[in-house]
Amino acid sequence: MDSQNDKDKGRSVVVVLMKGDEADATISAIRRDQPDAIIEDHGTFWQIGAQDELVVDLRRVGDELGRDIDLSQWLTIMTTYVGRVEVEDGIFRITSQMLELDRSTL
């Protein structure tokens, strides 16, 4: 196995969304904001992957959807994720970083 591929796997993040209007709007927003994201259609659900970080801006999703959507509404379509979650003011971020570590103490 290639050691670079192994390193990249450790930095991968994934979110899985049930199909529907909210998921379609999320896909549209991610395609615009993160064109390097890998979006896979699995019939009844979408799998979205990226290296290091995946950011879902709920304002952008709402623009695509044609109505506001808050985090609690959006979370009902998210079935699972891989990575560490950070939430802040309308942004749902999945990162491969160790968020719980304070870099100043390392």
Side-chain angles (χ1 to χ4, degrees), residues 13-15 30 34 37 48-50 52-56 92-94:
V13 295
V14 174
V15 65
I30 288 174
Q34 293 185 252
I48 309 161
D52 297 319
E53 183 176 78
L54 186 63
V55 178
V56 178
F92 181 86
R93 176 179 288 112
I94 303 172

Side-chain angles (χ1 to χ4, degrees), residues 10-39:
R11 295 182 12 230
S12 296
V13 295
V14 174
V15 65
V16 177
L17 306 177
M18 291 187 303
K19 283 196 173 177
D21 293 340
E22 293 87 354
D24 292 344
T26 302
I27 297 294
S28 293
I30 288 174
R31 281 190 172 134
R32 268 191 312 177
D33 296 344
Q34 293 185 252
D36 292 338
I38 299 166
I39 300 169

Side-chain angles (χ1 to χ4, degrees), residues 49-65:
Q51 288 298 309
D52 297 319
E53 183 176 78
L54 186 63
V55 178
V56 178
D57 183 336
L58 296 174
R59 288 175 293 264
R60 303 273 279 172
V61 173
D63 290 345
E64 291 290 331
L65 193 55

Side-chain angles (χ1 to χ4, degrees), residues 36-98:
D36 292 338
I38 299 166
I39 300 169
E40 298 177 4
D41 183 341
H42 288 271
T44 59
F45 65 91
W46 294 103
Q47 180 174 311
I48 309 161
Q51 288 298 309
D52 297 319
E53 183 176 78
L54 186 63
V55 178
V56 178
D57 183 336
L58 296 174
R59 288 175 293 264
R60 303 273 279 172
V61 173
D63 290 345
E64 291 290 331
L65 193 55
R67 62 174 168 80
D68 289 344
I69 184 168
D70 64 25
L71 181 62
S72 62
Q73 293 167 323
W74 186 82
L75 287 173
T76 64
I77 66 162
M78 186 188 73
T79 60
T80 193
Y81 65 90
V82 174
R84 292 161 188 88
V85 172
E86 184 177 51
V87 177
E88 59 185 59
D89 194 31
I91 303 290
F92 181 86
R93 176 179 288 112
I94 303 172
T95 181
S96 62
Q97 294 178 1
M98 298 293 289

